Amino acid sequence: MNFTLKIWRQSNRNAKGRFVSYAVSDIDPDASFLEMLDILNEQLVLKGEDPVYFDHDCREGICGACSLFINGRPHGRGEGTTTCQLYMRKFKDGETITVEPFRAKAFPVIKDLTVDRSAFDQIIQAGGYVSCHTGGVPDGNAILVSKRDADLAMDAASCIGCGACVAACKNASAMLFVAAKVSQLALLPQGKLEAEKRAHAMVAKMDELGFGNCTNTYACQAVCPKHISVSNIARLNRLHIKAGFKGTGKES
Amino acid sequence: MDEIKQSKVPSGNIAEKWTSYKDTQRLINPANKRKLDIIVVGTGLAGASAAATLGEQGYNVKVFCIQDSPRRAHSIAAQGGINAAKNYQNDGDSIRRLFEDTVKGGDYRAREANVYRLAEISNNIIDQCVAQGVPFARDYAGMLANRSFGGAQVSRTFYAKGQTGQQLLLGAYGALSKEIHNGTVKLFTRREMLNLVLVDGRARGIIVRNLETGDIERYSAHAVVLATGGYGNVFFLSTNAMASNGSAAWRCYKKGAFFANPCFTQIHPTCIPVHGDYQSKLTLMSESLRNDGRIWVPKNMSDVEKIRKGELRPADIPEADRDYYLERRYPSFGNLVPRDVASRAAKERCDAGFGVNASGLAVYLDFSEAIERLGENVVKARYGNLFDMYQEIANENPYETPMMIYPAVHYTMGGLWVDYELQTTIPGLFALGEANFSDHGANRLGASALMQGLADGYFILPYTLQNYLSDLIREPAVSIEETCFAEAEKQVRDEIARLHAVGGNETVDSFHRRLGKIMWEKVGMSREKEGLQQAISQIASLRDEFWHQVKVPALTIGCNAELEKALRVADFLELGELIARDALQREESCGGHFRVEHQTADGEALRDDEHFRFVSAYEYKGAIAPEMYKEALDFEFVELKQRNYK
């Protein structure tokens, strides 16, 4: 298959970026999108040009590193898949494909298609955990967890922290990301004690870092490679309101 | 050849060794812990759990990862589960049994005392992860669920769908984030360790390359903990992530840390087969699938030919004409034999011509019987995400037609030699998780890597490191302006300059692919003397070619992916040779190491306990061949047997 690629090139955080067109040919339909970029990059290297820089690692849809905005959609056309699980057979032969980085105020471009998502780490650091220390914990079966809650917690915990939700949102909100972690831990007895405080702290950090607010367009859910549901946002909102009323968010 | 005698295993009964170690190790008071700096390299299960726990204990921790976030370390991709000897299923499990299964699964090439400690700690790990909010699978009574894995006859594997590694890593990442918030741990992302700094023979710092700015940076500490994973990517195609590499460990080896059992590499039996030259990695299908999936190839060559031509579908082949070769050869373990056994059996069938895809390198993993027995919904609940992943990649629906699978490189049991305290031969340098060699012998059982990573990080290193550091409480921090830092940095800068200076016309990936081909064909699933000798000389000449022909764009500042890869491949070109050398000297078959010359009449691995019951540990000697030392493996508490899964 042959394609024309319009790729965002930007040499560093402060440089001005632009689209550059590249042609790739004889691509196997079963090659992944990233393997197609590998082929392009090998050609660029041999021509003495700077290859395209993009984040990627596990290439099996779980590490959350890959983060391309393809033809106007995070992770391209696949439903419930990451960029690395997108195969060229999903495109039309001869198609022009536009490739951009995930764009959000809180995700500055580092180079080309790579953005800085350390804001997500900072949100987790604000409280996205159970504050237990290593050792001295009860037996794993000492506190029972209903299968339903365990399953719902697992669904929320599937988040891979890729940031597609932010890239798809017109407000660049991180609500789905925050809600997934808050829900996972609030659904489990181990995380319930700190649930309201956690919701308050993580939302405050999200606001501070320049993510926008949620206006319920559900674009985040539509592009999430792990099908995280917006019902988690409702759960987050309930906890956040409670924290506000009870003042639990302010506990240190 | 000398012997290593200082493995520091405590004396006494095996069940009391760890307790007695903990009772007698030296302690450090909290005020002194605050004065001690520790570097942890890597944020997978071992690194993140170690950094978090050391932070909780009050040390100043600096933690480094190669990715943009610690949550992306490759532990995230582990699918199936984590073992523990809880015996929640009341099926006869115990610490003793987990210990014995692991020693036997490793084909009696692991250090007994380490393995017992691992089994002992396994139960604490489950408790810890539950307390962190890891959403393990549960039954309707609300209790933790288990499943079976290869090499065991009990159900001791805890899991979170097919994403157990992800959930355990996110638990450790949460603990790490908590300590970053508390200010005890400082996080450095997009950093790759390129050198170790020694002061008076002790590990006191590291040199890293900042992958965003291209800067070479220096960091100092009282001890360095390496949790940088394995070296499976020496084979180019593997189930490892793209950035997984052996460089940090390799560079420590070149500074004097012994490298142990390099030839013990694991080929995982159930991966999606290779489909093209452009392919960048192989995808694993969890071993848990072998709980319900049945592996087979057609009995008749005529059926194989029709399948390859597309004239016959697997479902059209009647039961009587299918060869469920694992069930046939190993009736008592069936499809749940250990990985090395299952991989070799697949290779044997495909070498005999029965492979079911166009390249002849695939066998079926069939769920039709399970779907009939349990219903599609139950199968979906157990393996749904794995089935989806398969469908995305292979473009076939595994609910309707069997999966096609083939073995692929997955894990490396070998690694830096460590003693009972997880300390390498360099004082102050510790190695955890896949980066060390200690617990899995010649073959790792499924669901044991997660167990080992977390055991090392949460529960072992925090004790043993304290024992080491108690001598250093009066030792001030070393300044990064010292000569030893400048020298170590210069080594790195010189190497980068050398790479840029080559100015050849072949890409790094092209060299990596060529190395991988040599490794897979001659140092892969089956090895023989002549092939290994050829591999050693071919790797040497490929290395020479690399340093004359490689093209690395010379961007002096900022991100440079080609330079990142070139530095790793340069190390793989040396490490590959050591793997082949080790495989050549080990004139026996054991676990993942199969020497064609050493097999039983029915094709099973033939171990030689009389001559090879040892760990091989290599010392770097510069331009001349490395020196091999032996650590004898004494089995006081298990009886050595020929492994039998029949």
Side-chain angles (χ1 to χ4, degrees):
Chain A
M1 298 175 86
N2 303 322
F3 303 99
T4 303
L5 303 168
K6 271 179 68 185
I7 299 179
W8 183 260
R9 302 303 309 263
Q10 179 175 337
S11 50
N12 59 53
R13 282 178 192 258
N14 304 316
K16 205 166 174 241
R18 66 199 165 95
F19 281 105
V20 178
S21 288
Y22 301 94
V24 286
S25 51
D26 287 330
I27 301 293
D28 190 304
D30 287 332
S32 75
F33 198 86
L34 299 185
E35 285 165 351
M36 184 272 297
L37 287 180
D38 291 341
I39 292 167
L40 170 69
N41 274 345
E42 270 202 276
Q43 291 168 2
L44 292 177
V45 169
L46 291 175
K47 279 196 274 181
E49 293 178 35
D50 186 14
V52 180
Y53 201 74
F54 58 94
D55 267 333
H56 62 100
D57 201 15
C58 78
R59 297 208 176 187
E60 53 185 80
I62 194 74
C63 75
C66 60
S67 45
L68 302 184
F69 200 78
I70 300 163
N71 287 340
R73 219 177 142 91
H75 297 308
R77 299 173 194 191
E79 294 228 330
T81 52
T82 55
T83 302
C84 63
Q85 296 170 300
L86 178 63
Y87 292 86
M88 297 319 291
R89 56 179 177 262
K90 298 271 172 84
F91 294 87
K92 287 199 262 330
D93 193 15
E95 193 175 334
T96 297
I97 306 170
T98 308
V99 195
E100 296 171 77
F102 281 6
R103 294 192 193 275
K105 185 180 162 198
F107 290 169
V109 173
I110 289 176
K111 181 178 179 178
D112 298 338
L113 303 173
T114 300
V115 298
D116 179 352
R117 286 169 288 181
S118 55
F120 269 12
D121 287 331
Q122 293 180 56
I123 292 176
I124 297 291
Q125 286 155 22
Y129 40 78
V130 177
S131 307
C132 64
H133 66 86
T134 305
V137 299
D139 182 88
N141 264 344
I143 302 170
L144 301 180
V145 181
S146 78
K147 186 175 185 315
R148 181 179 170 276
D149 285 345
D151 288 348
L152 282 174
M154 179 61 223
D155 288 344
S158 311
C159 170
I160 56 173
C162 65
C165 47
V166 175
C169 178
K170 62 179 177 141
N171 308 321
S173 173
M175 278 294 266
L176 192 64
F177 171 77
V178 174
K181 185 49 74 181
V182 166
S183 279
Q184 174 207 338
L185 297 177
L187 282 159
L188 299 170
Q190 290 81 6
K192 228 168 220 153
L193 282 177
E194 300 171 278
E196 291 162 21
K197 182 184 162 209
R198 179 182 304 116
H200 189 272
M202 290 177 76
V203 169
K205 182 54 87 175
M206 175 186 94
D207 291 344
E208 180 197 319
L209 292 170
F211 291 99
N213 283 321
C214 175
T215 48
N216 297 304
T217 66
Y218 301 170
C220 50
Q221 175 180 274
V223 301
C224 176
K226 297 294 154 185
H227 300 296
I228 309 280
S229 160
V230 291
S231 63
N232 291 302
I233 297 183
R235 190 175 290 110
L236 166 62
N237 283 332
R238 287 197 295 276
L239 288 164
H240 193 252
I241 291 167
K242 266 197 208 169
F245 277 124
K246 291 160 68 180
T248 37
K250 294 191 186 72
E251 277 172 27
S252 62
Chain B
M1 263 180 266
D2 282 330
E3 272 190 48
I4 302 182
K5 294 209 173 91
Q6 310 79 9
S7 59
K8 293 195 212 150
V9 174
S11 57
N13 186 284
I14 194 140
E16 284 146 23
K17 285 178 193 286
W18 181 232
T19 308
S20 82
Y21 178 89
K22 289 190 290 184
D23 286 347
T24 53
Q25 57 128 359
R26 289 166 299 174
L27 303 175
I28 302 175
N29 95 43
N32 282 331
K33 281 182 182 150
R34 288 196 289 272
K35 294 180 201 154
L36 296 167
D37 303 319
I38 298 162
I39 283 171
V40 178
V41 189
T43 59
L45 288 176
S49 58
T53 306
L54 295 170
E56 286 167 4
Q57 298 189 342
Y59 300 101
N60 295 310
V61 181
K62 299 182 188 106
V63 66
F64 296 80
C65 69
I66 198 168
Q67 297 87 356
D68 66 319
S69 163
R71 67 179 292 151
R72 307 206 202 283
H74 195 52
S75 304
I76 199 96
Q79 298 169 355
I82 177 166
N83 288 329
K86 285 282 195 185
N87 192 31
Y88 283 159
Q89 304 307 321
N90 195 30
D91 56 1
D93 201 8
S94 65
I95 289 170
R96 176 85 205 176
R97 266 192 208 277
L98 174 54
F99 158 64
E100 284 179 4
D101 284 350
T102 309
V103 171
K104 176 186 172 194
D107 222 351
Y108 304 92
R109 291 294 174 264
R111 193 188 289 143
E112 208 180 38
N114 287 51
V115 180
Y116 193 92
R117 175 176 63 184
L118 177 65
E120 209 178 332
I121 289 171
S122 66
N123 293 339
N124 302 89
I125 297 171
I126 301 304
D127 300 340
Q128 188 64 39
C129 295
V130 167
Q132 290 170 344
V134 168
F136 282 119
R138 291 187 179 256
D139 62 20
Y140 283 101
M143 290 194 260
L144 292 159
N146 291 108
R147 58 186 171 204
S148 319
F149 252 60
Q153 287 174 313
V154 293
S155 284
R156 63 160 72 103
T157 304
F158 294 77
Y159 62 100
K161 277 196 176 165
Q163 292 143 260
T164 318
Q166 179 197 27
Q167 294 311 313
L168 298 179
L169 183 63
L170 293 180
Y173 164 73
L176 179 65
S177 298
K178 166 176 68 71
E179 289 309 304
I180 294 169
H181 178 76
N182 291 340
T184 61
V185 177
K186 194 156 169 20
L187 171 67
F188 299 87
T189 59
R190 294 191 193 270
R191 301 296 205 290
E192 181 154 14
M193 173 175 163
L194 292 177
N195 215 346
L196 178 74
V197 182
L198 300 180
V199 178
D200 301 331
R202 291 178 188 263
R204 291 302 299 267
I206 60 171
I207 305 294
V208 304
R209 181 168 177 273
N210 181 323
L211 302 183
E212 182 187 336
T213 62
D215 293 340
I216 307 298
E217 302 169 346
R218 309 170 179 185
Y219 297 92
S220 96
H222 291 86
V224 176
V225 178
L226 221 60
T228 49
Y231 48 88
N233 270 343
V234 67
F235 289 86
F236 185 66
L237 285 181
S238 82
T239 65
N240 287 3
M242 303 303 287
S244 300
N245 68 79
S247 287
W250 190 249
R251 280 147 197 263
C252 291
Y253 162 72
K254 289 171 94 171
K255 287 275 172 157
F258 288 8
F259 205 103
N261 292 338
C263 83
F264 289 164
T265 54
Q266 177 166 80
I267 315 270
H268 196 292
T270 54
C271 301
I272 299 178
V274 176
H275 55 80
D277 289 339
Y278 54 82
Q279 202 165 348
S280 56
K281 76 155 277 164
L282 296 172
T283 303
L284 173 79
M285 288 282 107
S286 168
E287 178 161 320
S288 61
L289 293 169
R290 289 197 271 142
N291 268 294
D292 288 308
R294 298 177 70 198
I295 294 177
W296 64 278
V297 292
K299 265 185 195 159
N300 307 316
M301 194 55 85
S302 57
D303 288 343
V304 173
E305 281 158 10
K306 281 185 197 151
I307 278 189
R308 287 192 195 160
K309 284 185 202 145
E311 292 166 11
L312 202 63
R313 292 176 311 137
D316 300 333
I317 299 178
E319 243 351 83
D321 291 338
R322 299 177 178 193
D323 177 12
Y324 294 95
Y325 57 86
L326 289 177
E327 297 170 34
R328 167 171 59 81
R329 287 178 64 179
Y330 309 99
S332 77
F333 279 70
N335 291 295
L336 282 174
V337 290
R339 292 174 175 175
D340 54 333
V341 177
S343 291
R344 271 198 296 281
K347 179 172 160 43
E348 188 276 329
R349 281 295 79 196
C350 291
D351 287 353
F354 290 90
V356 292
N357 66 355
S359 66
L361 296 175
V363 300
Y364 288 127
L365 176 60
D366 194 339
F367 288 86
S368 53
E369 186 263 344
I371 290 171
E372 208 165 292
R373 174 167 46 91
L374 304 163
E376 192 171 315
N377 282 341
V378 175
V379 171
K380 196 171 205 158
R382 284 187 192 167
Y383 312 112
N385 66 320
L386 300 170
F387 276 47
D388 292 348
M389 190 151 91
Y390 181 85
Q391 185 158 8
E392 280 299 327
I393 296 171
N395 210 15
E396 278 187 342
N397 181 351
Y399 293 100
E400 288 165 7
T401 187
M403 291 183 180
M404 286 199 274
I405 52 155
Y406 198 68
V409 175
H410 179 56
Y411 185 89
T412 51
M413 284 72 70
L416 290 179
W417 185 89
V418 291
D419 60 20
Y420 189 72
E421 297 187 302
L422 304 182
Q423 187 163 212
T424 68
T425 48
I426 297 177
L429 177 68
F430 293 77
L432 316 186
E434 194 180 351
N436 76 26
F437 87 103
S438 70
D439 294 0
H440 306 297
N443 173 58
R444 178 175 65 73
L445 289 181
S448 284
L450 305 186
M451 173 171 70
Q452 188 221 340
L454 291 180
D456 288 0
Y458 283 134
F459 297 109
I460 301 173
L461 182 83
Y463 286 88
T464 61
L465 185 62
Q466 179 166 233
N467 197 40
Y468 169 77
L469 289 172
S470 62
D471 279 342
L472 299 181
I473 51 173
R474 284 181 199 85
E475 196 76 23
V478 185
S479 163
I480 56 167
E481 303 306 326
E482 298 270 340
T483 340
C484 43
F485 277 88
E487 280 166 5
E489 180 183 323
K490 186 170 181 302
Q491 277 183 338
V492 170
R493 287 191 184 279
D494 287 351
E495 190 187 355
I496 292 173
R498 260 179 80 205
L499 279 168
H500 286 321
V502 177
N505 51 21
E506 189 170 337
T507 61
V508 177
D509 281 350
S510 168
F511 280 105
H512 198 174
R513 243 178 250 125
R514 288 167 67 191
L515 171 66
K517 196 159 183 297
I518 299 171
M519 295 299 295
W520 179 246
E521 284 172 1
K522 304 199 157 107
V523 201
M525 253 190 293
S526 69
R527 302 156 170 182
E528 58 192 315
K529 188 175 180 184
E530 203 185 330
L532 290 167
Q533 284 167 338
Q534 286 168 358
I536 291 168
S537 70
Q538 286 172 358
I539 294 167
S541 55
L542 186 65
R543 190 165 60 229
D544 188 56
E545 216 183 309
F546 174 86
W547 283 102
H548 286 95
Q549 287 300 329
V550 74
K551 188 176 177 81
V552 182
L555 306 165
T556 43
I557 50 158
C559 312
N560 187 346
E562 291 299 308
L563 175 61
E564 293 167 24
K565 288 190 286 188
L567 288 160
R568 295 168 199 158
V569 172
D571 290 337
F572 280 142
L573 283 163
E574 296 175 359
L575 174 58
E577 186 183 321
L578 187 69
I579 298 174
R581 277 180 190 280
D582 188 42
L584 184 63
Q585 69 79 20
R586 194 167 277 280
E587 291 269 3
E588 65 164 350
S589 293
C590 60
H593 171 67
F594 190 76
R595 283 287 299 266
V596 176
E597 303 93 325
H598 304 284
Q599 53 182 312
T600 62
D602 50 357
E604 302 297 335
L606 190 59
R607 230 174 48 223
D608 179 354
D609 289 332
E610 195 190 331
H611 300 101
F612 290 94
R613 193 168 41 78
F614 63 80
V615 172
S616 56
Y618 294 86
E619 183 184 18
Y620 180 68
K621 289 283 182 189
I624 60 166
E627 178 149 358
M628 188 180 89
Y629 297 82
K630 293 177 179 179
E631 179 194 342
L633 293 168
D634 298 318
F635 292 94
E636 279 181 76
F637 302 95
V638 283
E639 189 194 341
L640 265 81
K641 293 184 208 153
Q642 201 64 34
R643 278 197 311 173
N644 181 4
Y645 293 98
K646 293 180 188 287

